[in-house]
């Protein structure tokens, strides 16, 4: 699977159509680069608030994007179908039938079919400033390129969430992320690298980038696109498959070969994928004698 990872620069759009046109520009570039899929970052959709909110306001920005969520999803489905390419348009805050808002990642295939992965673990900002509701358990998506999992930003820092996806057959874990400091970015980056090591799978990360003083939500964004594989035979010594430059918006293309993954899992130096202990007992506390 050939993937284009977008370190999406936060620019102020003038309308929903203007924002959708930017996604289409990225889709065209990904298609020209022979990509099978384009991955945008977590909360890329929050840039859309700039078309509806005059001055920085975290509450108003969230409300504006929630109001536009259905129209944005419909536009993304049309774009994916028009260009015949899989699209993960980052995440979109969406209000459910229960009235609660969840941070949702839509995965759309080239025929326009769609399914969602909700973020499971909220950051302090999401919980304390926005009141975002945690989503359900991890999912795995059956696609033309095999089974794919999505771990949204902070979720990547909790090994058992991605472990559940790899046990369900996911060889690729896509990680859309939004981080405003290098501390935050590195937490997600190092987690993505560890999850690839632990499960002998692929992880691929797409961050937001750039400075947007007009946005209270996305005012500062740090990171770079990168992808990791097993730290074992057939892969780089450090597991790093590809990385882009820091804080630059250029698409990063990466080829994730399931045959290479299968070969490593079949005859590895160590069997991280299968050697996980089942339900370890609680640690005992002992005194020194």
């Amino acid at each position: 699977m050939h993937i284009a990872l977008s370190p999406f620069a936060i620019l102020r759009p003038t309308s929903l159509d203007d924002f959708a046109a930017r996604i289409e520009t990225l889709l065209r570039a990904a298609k020209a680069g022979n990509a099978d899929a384009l991955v945008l970052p977590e909360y890329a959709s929050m840039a859309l608030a700039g078309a509806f909110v005059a001055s920085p306001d975290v509450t108003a920005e969230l409300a504006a994007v929630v109001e536009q969520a259905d129209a944005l999803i419909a536009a993304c489905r049309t774009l994916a179908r028009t260009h015949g390419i899989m699209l993960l348009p980052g995440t979109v805050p969406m209000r459910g039938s229960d009235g609660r808002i969840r941070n949702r990642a839509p995965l759309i295939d080239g025929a326009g079919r769609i399914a969602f992965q909700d973020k499971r673990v909220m950051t302090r900002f999401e919980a304390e400033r926005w009141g975002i509701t945690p989503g359900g358990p991890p999912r795995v998506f059956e696609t033309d390129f095999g089974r794919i999992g999505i771990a949204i930003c902070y979720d990547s820092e909790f090994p058992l969430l991605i472990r559940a996806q790899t046990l369900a057959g996911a060889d690729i874990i896509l990680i859309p992320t939004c981080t405003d400091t290098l501390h935050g970015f590195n937490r997600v980056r190092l987690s993505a690298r560890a999850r690839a090591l632990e499960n002998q799978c692929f992880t691929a990360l797409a961050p937001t980038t750039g400075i947007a003083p007009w946005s209270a939500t996305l005012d500062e964004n740090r990171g770079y696109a990168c992808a990791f594989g097993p730290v074992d035979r057939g892969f780089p010594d450090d597991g790093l498959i590809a990385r882009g430059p820091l804080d630059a918006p250029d698409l990063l293309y990466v080829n994730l070969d399931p045959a290479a993954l299968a070969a490593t899992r079949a005859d590895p130096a160590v069997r991280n994928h299968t050697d996980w202990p089942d339900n370890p007992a609680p640690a005992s506390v002992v005194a020194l004698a």
Side-chain angles (χ1 to χ4, degrees):
M1 187 179 185
H2 195 53
I3 296 178
L5 300 170
S6 173
F8 193 77
I10 302 302
L11 305 175
R12 190 169 199 164
T14 59
S15 64
L16 174 61
D17 287 345
D18 182 39
F19 185 73
R22 184 162 176 227
I23 295 177
E24 183 165 30
T25 297
L26 291 170
L27 278 171
R28 290 182 186 277
K31 192 77 173 179
N34 296 314
D36 301 305
L38 171 66
V39 179
L40 272 61
E42 179 189 35
Y43 287 130
S45 63
M46 288 304 301
L48 181 58
F52 300 94
V53 179
S55 58
D57 183 322
V58 293
T59 302
E61 288 167 12
L62 177 65
V65 177
V66 169
E67 179 68 22
Q68 296 295 319
D70 288 342
L72 176 58
I73 295 297
C76 288
R77 294 184 74 176
T78 297
L79 289 173
R81 186 167 53 245
T82 298
H83 295 280
I85 185 173
M86 181 178 288
L87 172 63
L88 197 173
T91 70
V92 183
M94 302 184 71
R95 192 179 302 279
S97 58
D98 60 359
R100 297 178 177 179
I101 298 172
R102 292 174 178 82
N103 184 13
R104 313 195 74 193
L107 186 65
I108 309 167
D109 72 7
R113 295 173 296 191
I114 189 170
F116 293 87
Q117 173 65 63
D118 292 351
K119 191 173 186 178
R120 185 73 184 93
V121 188
M122 298 300 102
T123 62
R124 291 191 64 189
F125 178 88
E126 289 171 305
E128 297 171 13
R129 301 291 301 277
W130 275 351
I132 301 290
T133 297
R139 292 178 163 185
V140 167
F141 304 100
E142 198 79 72
T143 77
D144 293 340
F145 307 100
R147 293 182 179 178
I148 295 174
I150 299 171
I152 302 170
C153 199
Y154 193 36
D155 282 354
S156 69
E157 299 180 32
F158 299 92
L160 293 180
L161 295 178
I162 290 180
R163 181 61 176 166
Q165 292 172 317
T166 58
L167 286 175
D171 288 338
I172 298 171
I173 307 296
L174 303 177
I175 304 176
T177 186
C178 177
T179 49
D180 61 356
T181 66
L182 287 179
H183 282 123
F185 170 70
N186 281 317
R187 283 196 297 270
V188 179
R189 177 184 65 86
L190 294 171
S191 296
R193 193 175 213 155
R195 303 300 83 85
L197 181 155
E198 294 162 351
N199 297 286
Q200 293 179 313
C201 68
F202 294 117
T203 59
L205 190 156
T208 49
T209 57
I211 306 299
W214 48 267
S215 172
T217 305
L218 300 174
D219 53 339
E220 186 171 356
N221 304 271
R222 306 297 309 275
Y224 54 80
C226 49
F228 303 98
V231 184
D232 213 316
R233 296 168 183 159
F235 288 89
D237 292 341
D238 59 359
L240 177 64
I241 296 173
R243 65 154 285 181
L246 179 64
D247 298 337
D250 306 312
L251 291 178
L252 176 69
Y253 293 92
V254 57
N255 189 53
L256 306 179
D257 183 2
L261 201 64
T264 295
R265 286 178 175 175
D267 185 25
V270 291
R271 298 189 182 277
N272 293 100
H273 181 60
T274 57
D275 281 349
W276 278 58
D278 294 327
N279 299 319
S284 59
V285 180
V286 298
L288 299 178

